[in-house]
Amino acid sequence: MALKSFALIIAILAVVTSISHASDPSPLQDFCVAVNDSMTTVFVNGKVCKDPKVVTADDFFKSGLNVPGNTSNQLGSVVTAVNVNNLPGLNTLGISLARIDFAPYGLNPPHTHPRGTEVLALFEGTLYVGFVLSNPGPNMKNKLFTKILHPGDVFVFPVGLIHFQFNVGKTNAVAFAGLSSQNPGVITIANAVFCSDPPISDDVLAKAFQVDKKVVDYLQSQFWWDNN
């Protein structure tokens, strides 16, 4: 009986530790340059490895992050991502990068990265940034951490937590973010809730947000901009 209990504990620990990684798995080779090839079934971290004999320096190179993004949209911000989808050499390396441009009073709205922690460095302008902790105990509110950033400041957003950046200055702002995944993903909260396809039932949203269905219907009828 004791042996069975011990085996059960080992099995549970194995499952827990296998899903507790904070970033992508480490590669077992020098590199695995991603390539789109529907004829093969061998995948590593969701991508097929390019034959190392035909890999070139260009597979690890991308230019253009010096070019400001177009912020003339409803949010006044735009994210220029560098991840495994546009820099194949990142495959299996567990990192990615993004440039974020803000017009005056531009917003990178509340969102999460389900697969990556983000560290953000501000190069120009002034940003109000913050993140909200996961649900606490009964009768407690989700704690908010915020900071005003100036050029040269750095702020970290833990993996999976809702966070945002808002340009509180009268000039443009530019930030660069590093993420602990080759493809961290983005879930923009408002877009996901009010612009899903098909729409979430207004009965569900009205009760969840404790508002009238007319408010939900109005929000679902709006155009929700994707700045990524």
Side-chain angles (χ1 to χ4, degrees), residues 83-115:
N83 55 41
V84 69
N85 295 318
N86 53 31
L87 182 55
L90 282 177
N91 193 44
T92 74
L93 300 186
I95 57 172
S96 58
L97 178 70
R99 171 180 174 141
I100 314 171
D101 289 277
F102 300 84
Y105 308 111
L107 171 70
N108 191 13
H111 62 280
T112 72
H113 301 293
R115 296 181 294 275

Side-chain angles (χ1 to χ4, degrees), residues 67-72 77-80 99-102:
V67 180
N70 184 2
T71 58
S72 58
S77 73
V78 64
V79 177
T80 304
R99 171 180 174 141
I100 314 171
D101 289 277
F102 300 84

Side-chain angles (χ1 to χ4, degrees), residues 89-159:
L90 282 177
N91 193 44
T92 74
L93 300 186
I95 57 172
S96 58
L97 178 70
R99 171 180 174 141
I100 314 171
D101 289 277
F102 300 84
Y105 308 111
L107 171 70
N108 191 13
H111 62 280
T112 72
H113 301 293
R115 296 181 294 275
T117 292
E118 174 182 345
V119 55
L120 181 136
L122 184 62
F123 279 64
E124 297 177 16
T126 307
L127 291 181
Y128 168 63
V129 305
F131 66 88
V132 182
L133 294 187
S134 54
N135 292 355
N139 303 315
M140 297 174 65
K141 294 184 177 180
N142 300 65
K143 189 170 183 179
L144 171 67
F145 293 88
T146 65
K147 195 75 176 177
I148 298 293
L149 302 186
H150 302 283
D153 290 344
V154 176
F155 198 79
V156 174
F157 306 101
V159 58

Side-chain angles (χ1 to χ4, degrees), residues 134-219:
S134 54
N135 292 355
N139 303 315
M140 297 174 65
K141 294 184 177 180
N142 300 65
K143 189 170 183 179
L144 171 67
F145 293 88
T146 65
K147 195 75 176 177
I148 298 293
L149 302 186
H150 302 283
D153 290 344
V154 176
F155 198 79
V156 174
F157 306 101
V159 58
L161 298 185
I162 296 174
H163 59 282
F164 62 86
Q165 300 105 27
F166 179 55
N167 182 3
V168 293
K170 297 181 180 179
T171 61
N172 293 338
V174 181
F176 286 86
L179 297 113
S180 63
S181 171
Q182 67 183 37
N183 192 17
V186 181
I187 302 173
T188 305
I189 307 305
N191 298 42
V193 172
F194 296 111
C195 192
S196 65
D197 184 18
I200 299 174
S201 166
D202 56 3
D203 289 315
V204 172
L205 295 181
K207 192 161 189 175
F209 289 95
Q210 301 179 42
V211 297
D212 190 272
K213 287 185 182 180
K214 292 182 179 179
V215 176
V216 173
D217 293 339
Y218 170 76
L219 291 171

